[in-house]
Amino acid sequence: MTTRTTLILACAALLGAGAAPLPAQVAGPAFADTLRFSLADVLEQVRAEHPAWRTGRARIRSAEARAQERSSFPDPRISVSPQSVTEVRLELLQPFRWPWETGALRGVGRREVAGIKAGVEAGRRDVLLQAAARFVDGLRSLAGFRLAQEHEALARRAAERLEPADTALAATDLAALQAQVALDEAERATVRARLQHNLNQSRLAVALGKEPATFVIFEGTLAEVAPLTTPEAALQSALATDPATLSLEQQAHRADEEARLARMRRWPSFELGPAVTLGDRNRLGVAVGINIPVWNRQRAALRAAGADKDTATAQMEVRRREVAQQVTEALTILTRTRTELALLRDGDLVRARRTTELAERSAGQGGTYALAWLLAIRAYGEARSAELELEWQAAQARVLLRSLTGSLIIEADGS
């Protein structure tokens, strides 16, 4: 069963149960199967239990073992050659490497291990970023549900106050009909927000390896999540610590070591060991063998190493540009959302709240005054929704910056 199908079934199960647990997140005790998470708790849980960590450790052990095998001492070989009808010569030859060839082999293995470690860290960062994004989405949907409840309460108060005393006039009173339509819309929005939050709970639970129907309590607010200490240094820090770039850098260094190894293998190699001749008269001696690289001058290996280095270098430049673009966009979003939030809270939101209060006082006069109240309630709800959207965008940008600079994985490691 796919993850998407699992989430849909979990959401359906919660809906079938009336999705009752959600209000308990606002107030009241948690259930036995309830999980309470802050962002730090989510990151710690992922680091402790996500299979990406076990996979990464296994990959590193494999790379270290292969690197050790690569530079291990070569096996001896036995040579048997008939000297005559009655004599056989046996040679036990041990191949020897030049010290600089052994150094090149160790360098290739060391760079390979370093590249694997950087790749593992890049994968872990992606896993942490996905989990943090799920948590931020949960904070948003929780705030959206509370906002929908507030808007529904305002719409219900308006519908009750504008309902005509004579029930026979309810079908012809424009203000009463408009109020009832607004209430219907608000009720649907509340149900939609509740189901969206149930879905986000399931998404986070699945990301943490829990049952999709697990009830999750999200601690914190969008404004507080993933704070930044020095955003002005984010670009420099991201470029210096990006594991994908470090992995490509190790690939370039490995190509250098492979080119060095190819040049070392242009030198003749030798074998040395005891030799014995068995036959009419046994003789003991020393055998020496020399391998002269006449036909294979490692030209293809040198070209391949050069191409690999050029590829890694070009990919490093591409990756640096991607990181710079991501950091720049995230910082721009932070600046824009901070400016828009200040303007919204000092302007539209304040005036919309005040307009709603004034319109409610005069709504009793009926007619256009009642319709003005309904419009004021809608405008106030739209302003609050815009505020929530901006807070969510800012939280997303901060989480992305924390991931790019490596502070998410540092926090998960408990540093």
Side-chain angles (χ1 to χ4, degrees), residues 93-388:
L93 299 176
Q94 172 63 56
F96 289 92
R97 296 194 187 107
W98 298 107
W100 42 85
E101 181 182 356
T102 301
L105 283 169
R106 290 175 178 171
V108 170
R110 185 171 59 253
R111 296 301 183 180
E112 183 177 359
V113 171
I116 291 295
K117 288 182 177 179
V120 167
E121 183 180 359
R124 290 173 175 175
R125 282 195 185 188
D126 289 340
V127 171
L128 289 171
L129 177 59
Q130 292 174 12
R134 292 281 184 262
F135 180 80
V136 170
D137 288 343
L139 288 178
R140 180 197 186 188
S141 60
L142 175 59
F145 173 71
R146 291 170 173 167
L147 181 59
Q149 285 182 314
E150 178 184 349
H151 186 70
E152 181 183 349
L154 288 175
R156 188 176 304 280
R157 187 164 73 232
E160 292 174 352
R161 182 171 175 183
L162 297 177
E163 183 179 3
D166 187 355
T167 56
L169 299 177
T172 58
D173 190 308
L174 179 59
L177 286 174
Q178 289 281 52
Q180 190 59 50
V181 169
L183 177 58
D184 293 340
E185 292 178 354
E187 289 176 344
R188 289 199 306 273
T190 301
V191 173
R192 186 167 57 249
R194 182 184 62 198
L195 294 178
Q196 181 61 50
H197 188 60
N198 289 341
L199 180 58
N200 287 339
Q201 288 182 107
S202 297
R203 285 173 172 170
L204 181 61
V206 171
L208 298 178
K210 309 299 182 182
E211 290 296 327
T214 302
F215 182 63
V216 179
I217 295 179
F218 296 80
E219 293 189 336
T221 62
L222 287 172
E224 299 171 348
V225 71
L228 298 174
T229 54
T230 54
E232 64 279 359
L235 180 57
Q236 181 180 358
S237 177
L239 291 174
T241 62
D242 179 52
T245 303
L246 296 177
S247 179
L248 292 169
E249 183 179 357
Q250 294 302 323
Q251 291 181 26
H253 289 318
R254 176 182 173 179
D256 287 335
E257 295 292 349
E258 288 177 343
R260 177 188 169 200
L261 177 62
R263 288 191 293 269
M264 295 303 101
R265 285 178 173 172
R266 286 179 168 182
W267 289 68
S269 60
F270 65 95
E271 302 171 327
L272 179 64
V276 60
T277 302
L278 303 176
D280 296 336
R281 189 162 58 104
N282 297 335
R283 297 184 301 276
L284 182 65
V286 176
V288 178
I290 299 178
N291 178 23
I292 303 175
V294 176
W295 311 117
N296 184 7
R297 297 295 294 168
Q298 302 293 322
R299 294 186 182 90
L302 286 171
R303 289 197 303 271
D308 289 343
K309 182 176 182 179
D310 291 341
T311 301
T313 302
Q315 290 177 339
M316 284 172 57
E317 180 61 27
V318 171
R319 177 58 186 171
R320 288 195 181 98
R321 293 183 182 183
E322 290 177 351
V323 171
Q325 180 179 356
Q326 288 178 324
V327 171
T328 302
E329 288 181 357
L331 291 174
T332 302
I333 289 174
L334 284 179
T335 302
R336 176 181 60 80
T337 53
R338 183 169 54 250
T339 303
E340 289 190 30
L341 280 171
L343 293 174
L344 179 65
R345 288 167 177 167
D346 294 338
D348 293 4
L349 192 57
V350 173
R351 283 188 281 272
R353 182 184 293 110
R354 182 59 177 164
T355 301
T356 302
E357 295 171 353
L358 294 176
E360 183 176 5
R361 296 175 185 174
S362 57
Q365 301 179 37
T368 57
Y369 294 98
L371 295 176
W373 185 25
L374 297 177
L375 291 176
I377 292 175
R378 179 182 292 273
Y380 175 67
E382 290 175 352
R384 290 292 306 277
S385 297
E387 180 186 33
L388 176 58

Side-chain angles (χ1 to χ4, degrees), residues 379-413:
Y380 175 67
E382 290 175 352
R384 290 292 306 277
S385 297
E387 180 186 33
L388 176 58
E389 179 69 19
L390 290 171
E391 288 182 342
W392 176 65
Q393 292 178 11
Q396 279 187 316
R398 291 196 303 272
V399 166
L400 178 59
L401 286 173
R402 291 280 299 272
S403 177
L404 291 172
T405 57
S407 59
L408 273 184
I409 200 166
I410 291 175
E411 183 172 340
D413 288 335

